[in-house]
Amino acid sequence: MKQEAAVVLWKMSETAVACNICGSSYTLPEDEAGGNLPHVLLCSHIFCSTCLRALQSPQNLITCPECQMDTRIEEEVDGLEVDSRIIGLIYTARMNTKKGRHSGDRCKSQRFKSPPSSAAVHTQENAEGRPDVVKVLDEALGKATENLSQLDKLHKTLSSGIHAQLRKERTRIIREIDEAVDKAKSTLQKRRSTLVSKLSDVDLLFTDGRKECKRIEERIKELQTAIQKARHVRQVPSLETYCNLDKILETLHIPVDAESYDMSSMSLHSGLRCSLQMDSLVDSLRNCLKITDDSDDCILEVTVEPFQHVVKSGVEVWDSSSQSVRGNADPIPKKKNTRRPSFIEEIVEDTDTSSEIVEIAHSSPGPEPRRNERHKALRRHRRQHFDRPLTPQPKLVHYVMATHIVNPGHFYVRYMMEQKSGQKLTKKVNEFCSGDSSLFTFSDEIKTGSMLFIYWKEDMWCRVTVTELFQKECFQSVTKCRASDVSRLCVYFQDFGFSKGVSIPSDGNLTVLNECLRRPDAATLAEMNGWAPLAIKCSLKDIIPADLLRGWSLEAADEMRSLLGSEAVEMQVFGEDGDTLLVDLKKTPMVSLREHLVFMELARFYSPIVVPGSAPLLFYPSVRPALNVEGNAMVSHVNTPSDFYVQLVENMEYLLLHSKLQDCYNRPQAHSEFQVYCPSLSQACVACYDQEWCRVQVIGFPGGRMVEVRYVDFGYRKTLSVKDLRQIKDEFFALPEMALWCSLNDVVSPQEKWSDEACVVFKELVEHKLITVVAKKLVPGTRPVPVCLYEIGDDCTGASIGEILVRNGLAVSSKQSQIKDAQPLEMTVWDPPFEDEPLSVVLTPPPASEELKPSLILPTCVKDIKVRVTHVTSPGNIYVQLLQFDSQLKRIHDTLKGLFSKSEPQEMLWEAEMFCAANNTGVWERGKVCSVSTNGVVEVLRCDFGNKVNLHVNNLRPLSPDLIGSFLLECNLSGVRPAGGRSTWTATACDFISHYLTGAMAVMTIKDPSAMPVLVSLFCSNRAGQNVSFADFLISEGLALKERKAASIFETVFSEQCVLSEKIPEPQRITSPPQTPPTPTPRINPPPERVQTHSYPPPELPPCGHTLMSISAISEQGVIYAMTHQAVCEFDRLRERLQQHIKTLPRQKNYNWKGVLGCAVMGTDMFWYRGQVQEVIGGHVKVQYVDQGLVESIPVCHVYPMVLCEDVPQLCVPCQINGVIPIGKGWQWDAVVLMKELLLGRSVNVHIIEHPEDPCSCVKVEIMVDGMALSKIMVHHQYASFDPAIGSQEDYVVKPPVPDLDDWDLNTVGLEEPQPVLGVYKELQIPKVRKHFPVKVKHIRAPNEVFLCVLDKTLCEQEQEESLEEALECVNENIENLSLLTDFPIECPCVAEYSDGKYYRAKLLGFSQLTPSVKLLVRHVDFGSDDILPTQKLRQLPASLHHFPCAAVYVKLAGFKPTNVCLESERIPYRPEWSMRAMMEMIDLLNGELTAVVTATEPQLTVLLYNAEGTLVHRPLVEKGLADYA
């Protein structure tokens, strides 16, 4: 029995005491062998030395595979702590085994020393003399009886032993089966948790619904704000002057349009479902859960296979596609020739295709091969995983190894997760090829496409496919021949991707052939077909050779081989192209392989790399000035007088953007952070020019890692290296391109091109100078804007640059050249028809000889134009046709019909943005391709009608360039804006206008021809035949609001032109030759008037001390403006005086504000105030009201450069809080908001501490708010910190002013001295030794955060004459004698009233509420609970309670943590990682007798809690799935 016990103990040490990773048993060092010792990590997990060496990183860090915690090792793995418990168990088992062997030897020796047999005795007796026969028989029978009884005992012992052993063995096997099934259940439960956690796709369905909820919330917030303002104005009518009452009333009256909100999200369904494939599950269970018997060993192997998750067409399918691995396989690979990182195999083992193996014995039979369909499903799942860019799942890293490289567009890889599968396949092939059944015979045939086995290297056979076959004495390849007649063949290695040629010499037999080739039999062929090829054909996405004529160079393939080598790299799949995966390979410390090849100039990108779901950002086009409106500009770059760039100087925001550019890209780390490796065409970047960073756009690739860029803010172009480009941040797209492409109007070169002298003179006149620009014509964005340039001089009329060039003979006027080239026209004069129609729209049919115009040209008169509305999408997007161009449009259609009516479809590759002739319902029209689908259907935009149609490619023909154009005008309805407070038009408004306007005839007046779309007014006939404005019609229907805008200058100019043209008699106007547009009148705008004013006198500062002041304003920098009571009265008198001083509005002039300081401001209440100019921004002036401190941006028309009432100083005093320093070197915006809420409009007690040296600077003050210092409030809210320059906090905290009382002569002799200030409580000292001590839970904050009370007071060294309970009872009896708490510092000790009406010890944690009454957050230190109490329930702590330590100490419970996957919806608000169910369960578990053991004291006191049975209290919590082991 002792021997059996020793053997059992030794087996237990080999199975139970084994590594959890590799399954190897722990061994002791013997002789020269180092052993396999169990080492303990910091997380208390134990692994063997071999596994830890494989997990060790170059930084001497080991990441635990179970909890992912890092452990740093100083020397080697052997330096880690060894688990002594396991070492003792191994040593004990080994000693017991040795003892059992010695006892067995002694039994054997005694067995050989047994007495001689009876036969020998009988022979000896015969030699001495024969006795009586009866006596001999009696002795023999007695001996036989003894032997029979002994045999009966042995039989009974053996029978009962066999029965007991059989029952024991059956019990053991059933227990192991149950354990395997439990592990399978846990694996399925983990799979369920993983799938539940991946249901984030369902959240994407309700994105639109959440947006609608957000819209409704914004509308509710806006309405609540308006209601609050309206109530305040109703209570205090004087507040009307400080708000826009019209806007508030408009917000209150806006109706709620329920139809405008999309409520369809409430009925959405994901369409996903989960189905269980029972057939696959049954097959998998038959293969993975079985009991087998070998001739050598009896093994019980249980393999639990996780299921693959595949989603197809909204149906969730479970597919088991993994294969098991041998139980004795080492999961951590040994390093061979490859330098693959050790962590890659760990990733392979943790993927969904790996297997979880529970090994019960020592060896296992090989598993069944994978089915081909199963392998294809796995590959398809991998590809689908990469092709779903919208799924917000964590990225799954796929590591591969390149097996064969032809070029970057053709190479083969193998998944690292299939490495073990490849080893098994190789082993199967080698086992088959080692037998005689695989040898060729003379009757065997070899065919192309058949599978063979070839001897490759190092006793390794590989499966190949025959691609080409040659027969003896035959020069042409054949499809099949006998094995004995094969002379040469080419084979393709399915698992590696390369091909190889094999020559077979003719020896007359099959010996040489069988040495290098083998054939599979029927069973082996069927088994091999179940193994999919391991080599995957790949190609780098969007990569083409650097030289398209020569193709891929050998250097590209060599560079790819040297970069990849035989290491494992990360592969990212973009899609498929036939049987080829479009991928990108990436090594961990490098950029991607595609970018590396492009950087080495061995390849280039076929198309820009765009992230799926996004598009590259481009700069906004430059803003074009309005027609015939003067503006100041700077000429930034000049090529010729017909090609130059200007910068408009009205936009001052560019200077701020330019400054931010320098700050962002001059940082040291900007070079590596924003480096551009592979720029694309039209990409927006940042580049340096003249040591300054500027915005650029890539316009070409000259080669040699050089790019041609255009500086969008200046106009010049330059060729730079790719290294000089930087990526641009999104914030620098805010402003459009600042450089405007222009050309001189009415000036042309006297020759074919401009002379060098003309270019030089033009540059000297305008380059880098401030000039006046006037735009003259409307042109598309692909042509320069014709402008007139004028110099800026002292006189009002600057010289025209074009006229200077003409006078110097360097240019000629285009008007003169047109007059010289013009031919006299003979036109017949017809009397105009006598109709009540505007004369400007009389149409005459053009002669047949008139030139065909393919595009629309706006008429000179822009009033009362008859149009036809062809397509409407919204009031801001209306397409119309001018009726006067109907003849031209008809000629275009006739021309297209004559060209293409009898033409045949052409094979042409149609792409987006291509112009075409389209056959739409039998009519040939001009169109533009928008998109092309794979089934031959093209979406075409009708150029002359505006809508889009879907046509087949057979209905399209290429359009000649001279016919490209459009007679369509895109318009925007002027004078209206969307109703409902929205920035976009509602669907109701769009449907309404589309229903009424599509196909209707209307009269149009162009308001702004330079805008895109053109601003127009549309008039349609109603039932009474009257023309009604459609904008007014929309307003009357409640679908739009009126937009108030001043009439622009260009509208006035066009109106005057139209009136002048109508005054001309019709015959004269028709017969006269075409006139050129009238030149603008001479500029009469005088230069800005230079005005200079001084600032108002500084305020009179009140004396130091306490003063009652009213807070009028608080600036964004935290400066507080206060007014004394006398200043408030003076302000009322000053306002009446200002109204008498200015009784009429001064005449508005063009002022130069550079020298203006003091000014007069007209407020929103139409009263005059004194102000000071701070900044000029466009058409607004930033002004500060000097008597109140307010800062506003006011239009220039309401500000006048004049100083009023100079004898009155400024009435508000700027102040700053004393003794505190703002966080972040300046007051944050939320801190300013808090100060405004506390101070604005209130009269507060201000203690002036120090006057500044400069009377205009800020005064240092301390402000008392409801008896509390403002500085303390700001420090409490962590907006500021105490000034370390001040000795103590009491030095600057201002006490409330002492009331002026009568001087009483009081004798204080004999009175009690003031009580000393008490400090913080003493903490409870609990035993730090690792032993159990009784505790009780006082309060629970979270399942792992509690307040404990030590029951054994002797452990805490507490020796008090009076207990805390007795002292509290005495205090509660005389509670009225204790003073109320008046000072509220953090951690201040006090006594606080509890819900039972008694007072207990507490400390202050902070302020919970300031208005309408002050409430504080306190903690009862003897219980751990928190409470919010008013100040009247807090009293000063008596000294008799202060020396007691806190009875409750805050600890964290070790050993468990919140579960990663929890389906409980009800959470703890302040600890959302915990569920309420876990909280309630933990409360039940903490009842009863508890003991604790301290595990850590830093950084937080941590203990383990045990119940009365000695088990951890959190164990049931983990078993119920409400927590995880830590």
Side-chain angles (χ1 to χ4, degrees), residues 1312-1326:
E1312 294 183 0
E1313 296 181 357
Q1315 296 181 358
V1317 178
L1318 302 177
V1320 298
Y1321 294 106
K1322 293 188 297 183
E1323 293 292 339
L1324 178 65
Q1325 301 296 327
I1326 66 175

Side-chain angles (χ1 to χ4, degrees), residues 49 135 293 345 374 556 568 980 1022 1025 1108 1208 1246 1255 1325 1460 1502:
S49 305
K135 185 178 181 179
D293 189 8
E345 286 297 323
R374 183 179 301 174
N1022 58 7
L1108 189 64
V1208 180
V1246 179
Q1325 301 296 327
N1460 295 329
T1502 308

Side-chain angles (χ1 to χ4, degrees), residues 1055-1283:
S1055 300
E1056 292 176 356
Q1057 293 179 7
C1058 196
V1059 170
L1060 291 175
S1061 63
E1062 288 181 0
K1063 292 182 179 180
I1064 302 175
E1066 185 68 19
Q1068 181 181 357
R1069 182 166 57 86
I1070 295 178
T1071 56
S1072 60
Q1075 301 291 333
T1076 58
T1079 59
T1081 57
R1083 296 177 301 112
I1084 58 175
N1085 292 338
E1089 181 179 348
R1090 297 184 180 274
V1091 182
Q1092 187 171 3
T1093 61
H1094 57 81
S1095 59
Y1096 289 94
E1100 295 181 357
L1101 302 179
C1104 295
H1106 291 277
T1107 307
L1108 189 64
M1109 304 184 74
S1110 177
I1111 308 301
S1112 60
I1114 298 176
S1115 68
E1116 300 298 331
Q1117 291 75 28
V1119 179
I1120 302 172
Y1121 293 91
M1123 300 175 64
T1124 62
H1125 180 68
Q1126 295 80 4
V1128 173
C1129 298
E1130 181 64 26
F1131 177 73
D1132 295 335
R1133 293 191 295 268
L1134 178 63
R1135 186 165 59 176
E1136 296 177 0
R1137 184 177 169 188
L1138 290 175
Q1139 312 317 315
Q1140 297 176 359
H1141 190 279
I1142 304 179
K1143 295 184 179 180
T1144 60
L1145 291 176
R1147 183 179 179 184
Q1148 182 65 34
K1149 297 181 181 179
N1150 188 12
Y1151 297 108
N1152 189 336
W1153 296 93
K1154 291 184 178 180
V1156 177
L1157 294 177
C1159 62
V1161 182
M1162 178 183 288
T1164 56
D1165 54 358
M1166 303 305 293
F1167 286 98
W1168 290 96
Y1169 298 93
R1170 302 190 301 172
Q1172 183 170 342
V1173 177
Q1174 292 188 341
E1175 187 181 359
V1176 180
I1177 306 174
H1180 289 69
V1181 180
K1182 191 175 182 180
V1183 177
Q1184 181 182 24
Y1185 295 86
V1186 297
D1187 298 318
Q1188 294 174 294
L1190 298 173
V1191 178
E1192 290 183 355
S1193 292
I1194 301 175
V1196 178
C1197 59
H1198 292 170
V1199 184
Y1200 295 90
M1202 61 180 68
V1203 178
L1204 305 177
C1205 302
E1206 302 181 28
D1207 56 328
V1208 180
Q1210 301 179 20
L1211 298 180
C1212 63
V1213 179
C1215 307
Q1216 67 178 12
I1217 308 175
N1218 180 51
V1220 293
I1221 301 175
I1223 300 299
K1225 300 181 180 181
W1227 292 106
Q1228 305 297 325
W1229 67 270
D1230 46 354
V1232 176
V1233 170
L1234 178 61
M1235 286 192 288
K1236 289 182 178 180
E1237 291 179 358
L1238 294 176
L1239 300 177
L1240 276 183
R1242 298 185 60 179
S1243 295
V1244 294
N1245 187 4
V1246 179
H1247 180 79
I1248 299 177
I1249 299 176
E1250 181 182 355
H1251 286 171
E1253 297 180 358
D1254 185 4
C1256 295
S1257 300
C1258 295
V1259 181
K1260 293 185 178 180
V1261 300
E1262 181 59 52
I1263 302 175
M1264 303 300 296
V1265 182
D1266 294 334
M1268 298 182 60
L1270 179 62
S1271 57
K1272 277 194 173 184
I1273 296 176
M1274 303 308 292
V1275 172
H1276 167 72
H1277 287 280
Q1278 299 182 357
Y1279 294 137
S1281 59
F1282 295 124
D1283 191 354

Side-chain angles (χ1 to χ4, degrees), residues 1006-1071:
I1006 299 178
K1007 298 293 185 181
D1008 185 2
S1010 62
M1012 292 300 293
V1014 178
L1015 287 176
V1016 299
S1017 296
L1018 282 180
F1019 298 89
C1020 300
S1021 298
N1022 58 7
R1023 296 181 179 178
Q1026 300 174 349
N1027 285 340
V1028 179
S1029 173
F1030 203 82
D1032 297 338
F1033 185 49
L1034 286 177
I1035 295 173
S1036 63
E1037 293 293 331
L1039 300 175
L1041 297 177
K1042 191 170 184 180
E1043 187 176 22
R1044 298 183 178 90
K1045 285 187 178 181
S1048 56
I1049 299 176
F1050 53 80
E1051 180 180 348
T1052 307
V1053 172
F1054 278 106
S1055 300
E1056 292 176 356
Q1057 293 179 7
C1058 196
V1059 170
L1060 291 175
S1061 63
E1062 288 181 0
K1063 292 182 179 180
I1064 302 175
E1066 185 68 19
Q1068 181 181 357
R1069 182 166 57 86
I1070 295 178
T1071 56

Side-chain angles (χ1 to χ4, degrees), residues 169-199:
E169 190 67 16
R170 286 178 60 86
T171 305
R172 181 184 63 82
I173 295 175
I174 293 174
R175 184 178 66 254
E176 291 173 352
I177 293 175
D178 292 340
E179 291 176 357
V181 172
D182 291 339
K183 289 191 177 182
K185 291 180 180 178
S186 63
T187 303
L188 290 176
Q189 189 66 26
K190 290 181 181 178
R191 185 58 180 167
R192 177 189 176 279
S193 302
T194 303
L195 292 175
V196 170
S197 64
K198 292 182 179 179
L199 290 181

Side-chain angles (χ1 to χ4, degrees), residues 197 1457-1462 1467 1521 1523-1524:
S197 64
K1457 62 181 180 179
T1459 180
N1460 295 329
V1461 179
C1462 183
R1467 298 283 179 160
D1524 292 338

Side-chain angles (χ1 to χ4, degrees), residues 208 277 464 518 674 695 753 863 1012 1022 1065 1072 1161 1416:
D208 296 336
Q277 303 294 329
V464 295
R518 297 294 173 91
F674 300 107
R695 302 187 299 173
K753 62 179 182 178
K863 290 186 63 179
M1012 292 300 293
N1022 58 7
S1072 60
V1161 182
L1416 296 101

